[in-house]
């Protein structure tokens, strides 16, 4: 077996953003389901939270491939 | 069936499927133009043409079975994708979206249709070509609608931003529109089809290996691997339909984005 | 932003993030290569790119 431990590390670090994205959209769906008219307020917040979580995941991806 | 020959030829020990399983030999002769994916693409074109010519030949007010099938696919792309997303003036883009959807759908479904069992889009060059089509079309629409200078200015310079921020933002916007969008469009389709086919190879090939193993224990367990392969085949059916939908949806969204004036 | 194509918005957010990291990280990587420094410009470029693309996402999707 051969490979690099970087990818194992990336796999572990991707768990965090995955859970974060799940939580963000769970809360967003909950909010919209309880109060449909709040959608316009919640949507930008959900998107920004998604962007922040996703940026960390992509950060990990880039670092896993570049750092030696 | 190439996986079986691969395993038998490699002797003892399980050899997991790899990228080399996607390089299939040519069917007729030794030409690169008669390999399985290329033949499958041509076959899909014939299949789609024949189906829709038959479905639309006798257009009746009360549709027959074939006409109903053809019309429901067309109606789905037209109503749920084109009209919903592009809005007014959507009719001009329905032919492109419809062709894209049906072509990708049929070629994806080849991955689970018996005797073909190879998703054409798991070779990355096919999604690249589709993404180039979408890329050229949505930029052409934007330039035609808004003019070259105004269209490029709308992409590169977002209104309502302090001047110094343009140094940071303009390269990102340009890269997104001219590089990331076509690349992600094609890679998403490719990666899904590639991974799905690899998954099926793992389960079916693994079951095959276990069945031919000398231990009785492995023989008893092999149906589980085959059973999971069958479950994954149904899962793949879902993924294949979804990916055909997503590439059409994103193409429609790009066209809609090129049509609206951002100012 | 119309609220009915959330899926498209999510994909384009991801596109912005990828290209932000790619462009500014790439510029940093090039500077490192050129100046023979060890990953400092690259890491700075990544942070800058992530910040810029999140700002861009806020401009496109976060403003009311």
């Amino acid at each position: 077996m051969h490979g690099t431990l970087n990818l194992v590390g990336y796999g572990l670090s991707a768990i965090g953003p995955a859970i974060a994205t799940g939580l963000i959209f769970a809360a967003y769906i909950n909010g919209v389901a309880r109060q449909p008219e709040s959608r316009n307020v919640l949507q930008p917040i959900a998107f920004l939270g998604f962007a922040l979580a996703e940026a960390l995941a992509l950060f990990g991806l880039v670092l896993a491939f570049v750092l030696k | 069936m190439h996986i079986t020959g691969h395993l038998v030829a490699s002797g003892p020990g399980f050899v997991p499927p790899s990228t080399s399983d996607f390089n299939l030999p040519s069917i007729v002769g030794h030409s690169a133009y008669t390999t399985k994916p290329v033949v499958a693409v041509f076959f899909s074109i014939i299949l789609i043409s024949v189906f829709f010519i038959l479905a639309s030949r006798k257009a009746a007010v009360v549709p027959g079975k074939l006409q109903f099938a053809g019309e429901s696919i067309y109606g789905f792309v037209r109503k749920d994708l084109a009209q919903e997303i592009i809005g007014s003036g959507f009719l001009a883009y329905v032919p492109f979206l419809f062709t894209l959807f049906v072509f990708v759908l049929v070629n994806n479904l080849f991955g689970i249709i018996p005797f073909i069992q190879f998703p054409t889009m798991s070779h990355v060059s096919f999604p690249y070509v589709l993404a180039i089509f979408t890329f050229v079309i949505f930029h052409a629409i934007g330039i035609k609608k808004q003019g070259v200078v105004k269209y490029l200015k709308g992409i590169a310079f977002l209104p309502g931003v302090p001047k110094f921020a343009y140094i940071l933002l303009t390269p990102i916007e340009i890269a997104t529109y001219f590089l990331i969008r076509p690349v992600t469009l094609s890679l998403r389709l490719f990666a899904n089809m590639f991974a799905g086919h690899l998954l099926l190879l793992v389960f079916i090939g693994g079951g095959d290996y276990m069945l031919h193993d000398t231990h009785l224990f492995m023989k008893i367990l092999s149906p589980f691997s085959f059973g999971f392969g069958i479950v994954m085949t149904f899962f793949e059916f879902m993924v294949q339909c979804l990916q055909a939908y997503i590439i059409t949806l994103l193409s429609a969204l790009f066209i809609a984005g090129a049509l609206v004036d951002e100012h | 932003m119309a609220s009915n194509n959330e899926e498209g918005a999510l994909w384009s957010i991801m596109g912005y993030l990828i290209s932000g990291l790619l462009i500014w990280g790439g510029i940093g990587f090039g500077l490192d290569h050129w100046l023979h420094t060890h990953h400092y410009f690259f890491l700075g470029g990544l942070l800058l790119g992530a910040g810029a693309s999140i700002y861009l996402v806020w401009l496109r999707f976060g403003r009311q």
Side-chain angles (χ1 to χ4, degrees):
Chain A
M1 216 157 90
H2 55 89
T4 164
L5 265 179
N6 280 7
L7 293 180
V8 178
Y10 175 59
L12 290 174
S13 77
I15 296 172
I19 294 172
T21 310
L23 286 177
I24 288 161
F25 282 102
Y28 172 58
I29 291 166
N30 246 322
V32 175
R34 276 165 199 262
Q35 214 174 342
E37 65 269 27
S38 69
R39 186 194 194 115
N40 290 330
V41 184
L42 293 181
Q43 195 177 38
I45 302 170
F47 281 178
L48 269 180
F50 169 73
L52 280 168
E54 203 62 30
L56 290 179
L58 293 172
F59 230 88
L61 179 65
V62 174
L63 290 181
F65 277 108
V66 173
L67 290 188
K68 292 259 155 43
Chain B
M1 279 294 107
H2 53 285
I3 183 87
T4 322
H6 186 66
L7 286 175
V8 170
S10 60
F14 179 62
V15 179
S18 66
T19 48
S20 61
D21 288 315
F22 286 81
N23 299 326
L24 303 177
S26 53
I27 294 171
V28 186
H30 292 287
S31 168
Y33 298 103
T34 54
T35 54
K36 201 172 177 182
V38 180
V39 173
V41 163
F42 282 115
F43 179 60
S44 77
I45 294 167
I46 295 168
L47 202 70
I48 295 165
S49 312
V50 168
F51 176 75
F52 281 104
I53 287 170
L54 283 180
S56 62
R57 196 182 45 180
K58 278 189 256 163
V61 181
V62 181
K65 273 180 196 155
L66 206 62
Q67 192 191 342
F68 178 73
E71 278 182 357
S72 46
I73 300 171
Y74 176 73
F76 169 70
V77 177
R78 178 173 162 157
K79 279 207 199 76
D80 292 351
L81 284 168
Q83 194 172 20
E84 190 109 314
I85 290 163
I86 301 175
S88 66
F90 71 95
L91 215 54
Y93 313 109
V94 173
F96 169 65
L97 293 175
F98 178 63
T99 312
L100 184 68
F101 178 73
V102 177
F103 182 70
V104 175
L105 181 67
V106 169
N107 276 295
N108 282 352
L109 288 180
F110 278 171
I112 55 168
I113 291 174
F115 302 113
I116 303 175
Q117 280 174 326
F118 188 82
T120 322
M121 297 297 161
S122 62
H123 272 266
V124 75
S125 40
F126 295 104
Y128 274 157
V129 173
L130 293 179
I132 288 169
F133 268 111
T134 302
F135 177 76
V136 169
I137 283 173
F138 87 83
H139 282 304
I141 287 168
I143 288 169
K144 201 175 148 199
K145 175 97 179 174
Q146 304 177 22
V148 181
V149 179
K150 196 164 168 246
Y151 178 64
L152 292 180
K153 218 178 143 192
I155 288 176
F157 299 104
L158 208 64
V161 180
K163 285 275 184 292
F164 62 88
Y166 283 135
I167 304 167
L168 277 175
L169 300 184
T170 303
I172 299 176
E173 291 267 26
I174 290 172
T176 305
Y177 272 81
F178 291 96
L179 185 71
I180 300 296
R181 275 187 170 189
V183 168
T184 51
L185 193 67
S186 50
L187 283 188
R188 183 176 306 125
L189 180 60
F190 157 72
N192 272 283
M193 290 305 108
F194 182 83
H197 192 59
L198 213 55
L199 200 66
L200 293 184
L201 285 183
V202 167
F203 283 115
I204 307 291
D208 188 59
Y209 173 77
M210 285 158 84
L211 195 65
H212 289 95
D213 200 87
T214 45
H215 293 292
L216 188 66
F217 184 64
M218 290 286 254
K219 277 190 203 293
I220 292 167
L221 281 183
S222 74
F224 289 100
S225 185
F226 281 124
F228 221 80
I230 292 168
V231 172
M232 278 298 136
T233 304
F234 284 106
F235 177 70
E236 271 311 296
F237 173 72
M238 206 184 73
V239 172
Q240 284 158 353
C241 294
L242 194 69
Q243 287 305 316
Y245 170 71
I246 282 183
I247 194 171
T248 319
L249 174 84
L250 286 173
S251 299
L253 280 167
F254 293 164
I255 290 171
L259 278 174
V260 291
D261 217 338
E262 301 241 349
H263 304 282
Chain C
M1 192 66 214
S3 60
N4 57 349
N5 20 356
E6 284 176 15
E7 202 172 345
L10 294 182
W11 284 120
S12 58
I13 287 172
M14 220 167 133
Y16 279 134
L17 290 169
I18 291 172
S19 53
L21 289 177
L22 216 64
I23 290 293
W24 288 104
I27 288 171
F29 194 79
L31 279 176
D32 271 339
H33 203 71
W34 183 47
L35 297 171
H36 299 290
T37 44
H38 192 72
H39 291 320
Y40 294 118
F41 281 106
F42 172 61
L43 289 174
L46 278 185
L47 284 172
L48 191 71
S53 42
I54 288 170
Y55 179 47
L56 194 56
V57 168
W58 180 75
L59 288 171
R60 288 260 183 206
F61 303 102
R63 281 192 297 198
Q64 287 293 329

